[in-house]
Amino acid sequence: MKFLTLKQLFVSGLITVVAAGPTKNITFNVISLVPNNQTLGVIIDEKVYPLTKVNEASTLLHFGDAPSPSSGYKYAILQKDTNQVIESENFTRKNSPSKSTLNEYYGRSWNTYNNLTKLPLIMEPLPIINRIESNLHIDNEIPTVHFYGDQTQIDNIHNNQMEDIDVNLSMAYISPKDVKLYENVTISVSGMSTRQMSKLSYKFKLPKKQDLFGYRRIKLRAMSIDMSYMRDSLGYAIADSVGLPTTKHSYARVYINDEAVGLFGLVEHIKDEWVQNEFGNGSKKFKHGALYVADINVKQPNTSSATNMTKRDGAMDSILAGKNEIDNPKAVSSLLYLGNNISDYSLGQYAVKSDPSVGTANYTRIMDFAKFISEQPTVPVNDSAAAIWEEKIDVDSFLRGLALEIVISDMDGYFGMSNNYMLYDDIKNERLVLSEQDLDLTMGVSTFNISVMHGGNYTQFPGFTARPLTSRLFQVPKFKKQFENYLIKMTKELVNPVVLGPRIDQLFGMLSEDVSWDLALPRLGKSLMPDFVSILFGNGSDYTSFTNSPFHFAVYGPTMLNISMALTEWLPLRSSNLLSFFNETISQ
Ligand SMILES: *[C@@H]1O[C@H](CO)[C@@H](O)[C@H](O)[C@H]1NC(C)=O
Ligand SMILES: *[C@@H]1O[C@H](CO)[C@@H](O)[C@H](O)[C@H]1NC(C)=O
Ligand SMILES: *[C@@H]1O[C@H](CO)[C@@H](O)[C@H](O)[C@H]1NC(C)=O
Ligand SMILES: *[C@@H]1O[C@H](CO)[C@@H](O)[C@H](O)[C@H]1NC(C)=O
Ligand SMILES: *[C@@H]1O[C@H](CO)[C@@H](O)[C@H](O)[C@H]1NC(C)=O
Ligand SMILES: *[C@@H]1O[C@H](CO)[C@@H](O)[C@H](O)[C@H]1NC(C)=O
Ligand SMILES: *[C@@H]1O[C@H](CO)[C@@H](O)[C@H](O)[C@H]1NC(C)=O
Ligand SMILES: *[C@@H]1O[C@H](CO)[C@@H](O)[C@H](O)[C@H]1NC(C)=O
Ligand SMILES: *[C@@H]1O[C@H](CO)[C@@H](O)[C@H](O)[C@H]1NC(C)=O
Ligand SMILES: *[C@@H]1O[C@H](CO)[C@@H](O)[C@H](O)[C@H]1NC(C)=O
Ligand SMILES: *[C@@H]1O[C@H](CO)[C@@H](O)[C@H](O)[C@H]1NC(C)=O
Ligand SMILES: CC(=O)N[C@H]1CO[C@H](CO)[C@@H](O)[C@@H]1O
């Protein structure tokens, strides 16, 4: 105690002396992965100051003191023994921190990207949404996530990438303003068909009672089949803008031990906790129903093991609008009525992502609704039918979610594959709520014919007339009218070159350096099926140019290759086709 006090006195005395002089020191903090024989430094007025310490949360975060810069500074990588500069940043940082810099990232000139404008909120959130306030997703920052621990176990999950193997690691989360350390974080490879690819997605779970801005379960999406690195980001921002329950999306730079893994999309894992955070203000006591997500990848005929991906993807490839219903009626996830045996609904085609707060998911709400659908006419009825639909479902959520699928040309939602859409059992109102997730196969990525996928006549959208639900729901004139109003509103006010275009440009500006970095990194997984993309998207896709081209980044303006159509080719086509079908123009 005595010693501490003396030491403090000594230190504060020293600071007073220095502060009076011209060379006031501040602390520089910079993230970079360097080998053991190198360190970071900061160059101020052409003098080099080594930053010799590393943060206790992560060896990636280097820090040290140096004089407060009067006219900018840059970071450098130094040879450890000699402090010789190996390389330095090719730009000057103009920040003038008073005590300490933010946690800066070596080689990136900004900490917060100021030019990213938010999309407008064009519809009030559905009344069911009671989402927590959270800083998990800061739109214009890219935090660094560093996992570390036993390399043997890390190698093991990558050597067995088709399997769900958990590994316990420590995790540092470093954003410009925060450093957080978690131990015993459970991480595993995540995803379905994209596990074939060499850049893998991950999911992680923090220990009980710990959280990252209110969330314990998070996914890091590799974006490996979206060369624009933007479709999830845009899709979730649009879902939010039209008031649907949805995860938000942000980006993260990911490292595992001493390897850079790449740029990832950070999203909330849709599980129990998400239900509480999205619908119940984050309360653990929130009384909620089950949450289901449609999954076409389950129980394909003769698939004995969930890891038989060749088989599963073979099936996925061929399941286009309705084929699944014919080949494999019992595993269908299209809300087709399968009779009154509840076990037929529980094969996994409605995967339970959250059990209710009391008991377990029992599928009755889905079976009842499928039965109800089967009893509705497939010819026009009058508006008096609306009330019975409202009893079964939150119709507004269905109209918004289904309109969203069409407006963003989603090939992998209810219409396209009867896949990925969410059904939440609202036990208070005893009805289902619809929303969407997994939005990477959208906005020009499609195996379907371009004219039906992006054309204006929405009734020709894949699955529109074939799906059990929509072939009945839109027989109610009121619902059809409202649905069309949503198509027009979403297109005029949001999904068009005037409103969404700038956001794409801005994301391009924000991400391009990180995308170049990502594309140059060695991958931790293996490409198990080198022709995966062409298998998934059919013969039409040009996989050779997909892999060989140096930097296929879909920017609004200059178009670049994408699997089917660049984001920037798609957007004007989508909006002009829809608006001209309705004889409307963009309202901005
Ligand atoms: C520094 O370490 C790396 C391996 O981490 C090695 O390849 C390199 O030769 C070393 N450089 C010097 C100057 O010792
Ligand atoms: C300021 O930083 C420099 C460079 O790290 C160091 O040599 C000097 O001792 C520091 N001065 C004070 C008062 O801490
Ligand atoms: C700085 O370096 C980055 C890559 O390290 C490069 O993309 C960029 O063009 C360089 N900028 C200038 C002004 O030289
Ligand atoms: C933001 O845009 C302005 C003008 O368009 C530009 O000068 C500035 O460098 C941009 N900032 C960033 C962080 O890109
Ligand atoms: C990982 O940590 C959790 C507790 O956080 C523990 O229950 C589990 O057994 C650990 N797993 C391994 C493989 O060490
Ligand atoms: C992590 O898990 C291990 C083994 O279960 C335990 O000994 C340790 O205390 C845990 N660490 C923290 C910070 O909870
Ligand atoms: C959530 O909080 C809002 C505002 O405090 C309140 O009106 C609402 O009833 C709460 N809902 C739930 C489900 O907790
Ligand atoms: C995977 O599917 C193939 C083709 O249907 C089959 O031959 C093989 O036995 C299956 N493997 C497993 C582990 O189920
Ligand atoms: C099945 O779940 C519903 C809620 O969807 C609930 O009302 C019902 O009581 C449950 N049935 C049984 C037998 O648990
Ligand atoms: C839209 O397509 C449907 C189905 O092919 C067709 O019956 C209808 O006439 C088309 N509508 C318009 C306005 O072209
Ligand atoms: C759009 O306008 C054209 C001519 O003005 C008309 O023939 C067509 O029916 C209109 N389409 C719709 C969907 O209203
Ligand atoms: C597609 C396929 O191989 N289907 C087979 C699955 O197994 C059943 C019964 O074993 C066969 O009858 C199918 O032909």
Side-chain angles (χ1 to χ4, degrees), residues 163-432:
E163 285 168 46
D164 276 319
I165 302 173
D166 288 344
V167 45
N168 277 357
L169 299 174
S170 298
M171 182 187 102
Y173 171 92
I174 312 167
S175 68
K177 295 189 192 73
D178 283 297
V179 181
K180 293 172 184 286
L181 170 64
Y182 302 88
E183 283 174 39
N184 295 330
V185 176
T186 308
I187 171 169
S188 64
V189 172
S190 123
M192 297 291 269
S193 42
T194 48
R195 283 176 190 243
Q196 312 270 356
M197 304 192 77
S198 58
K199 184 181 174 196
L200 296 164
S201 295
Y202 302 91
K203 54 179 186 262
F204 68 85
K205 185 170 72 181
L206 303 178
K208 285 213 169 68
K209 302 216 167 87
Q210 297 188 34
D211 65 275
L212 181 61
F213 304 108
Y215 293 86
R216 261 185 79 211
R217 287 164 160 266
I218 288 168
K219 280 191 174 181
L220 294 165
R221 285 173 53 87
M223 306 179 283
S224 44
I225 52 175
D226 175 15
M227 294 308 278
S228 78
Y229 289 70
M230 281 185 206
R231 286 183 168 87
D232 259 347
S233 167
L234 296 169
Y236 287 123
I238 295 166
D240 189 37
S241 172
V242 303
L244 285 167
T246 179
T247 172
K248 295 199 178 187
H249 178 284
S250 50
Y251 292 93
R253 302 181 184 110
V254 175
Y255 291 78
I256 301 182
N257 274 351
D258 48 9
E259 285 195 86
V261 190
L263 182 67
F264 285 74
L266 187 153
V267 296
E268 299 142 30
H269 193 177
I270 308 289
K271 300 289 273 185
D272 313 43
E273 166 202 75
W274 183 83
V275 172
Q276 291 162 353
N277 284 347
E278 192 72 7
F279 301 118
N281 296 322
S283 167
K284 301 275 175 254
K285 293 185 184 137
F286 173 56
K287 292 266 177 290
H288 60 83
L291 182 88
Y292 306 90
V293 170
D295 180 0
I296 54 158
N297 271 319
V298 293
K299 297 279 176 184
Q300 296 306 330
N302 305 346
T303 303
S304 56
S305 148
T307 63
N308 197 335
M309 296 302 287
T310 309
K311 179 81 178 171
R312 285 147 63 99
D313 285 313
M316 181 167 171
D317 183 41
S318 62
I319 297 169
L320 299 179
K323 193 165 186 311
N324 197 21
E325 277 96 331
I326 298 158
D327 287 359
N328 195 20
K330 286 294 185 196
V332 68
S333 47
S334 65
L335 296 170
L336 183 71
Y337 184 51
L338 303 170
N340 66 358
N341 184 349
I342 198 78
S343 63
D344 287 340
Y345 299 82
S346 59
L347 299 178
Q349 72 273 55
Y350 302 105
V352 176
K353 296 295 167 169
S354 171
D355 274 319
S357 43
V358 177
T360 53
N362 66 26
Y363 306 91
T364 52
R365 197 83 70 205
I366 291 177
M367 185 174 79
D368 287 351
F369 182 44
K371 180 160 190 286
F372 169 82
I373 290 172
S374 73
E375 291 161 356
Q376 304 312 305
T378 52
V379 292
V381 294
N382 67 43
D383 279 341
S384 65
I388 54 171
W389 282 92
E390 292 283 5
E391 279 174 24
K392 295 289 175 191
I393 55 173
D394 176 344
V395 172
D396 200 11
S397 72
F398 278 71
L399 298 180
R400 292 185 197 196
L402 295 170
L404 175 83
E405 288 189 12
I406 288 183
V407 170
I408 68 172
S409 301
D410 184 353
M411 69 163 269
D412 203 15
Y414 179 74
F415 287 124
M417 308 270 252
S418 58
N419 197 21
N420 286 322
Y421 65 94
M422 301 191 243
L423 293 172
Y424 171 59
D425 182 0
D426 170 8
I427 51 173
K428 200 164 146 226
N429 296 300
E430 301 186 328
R431 60 184 191 173
L432 291 167

Side-chain angles (χ1 to χ4, degrees), residues 580-583:
S580 58
F581 180 72
F582 291 110
N583 289 347

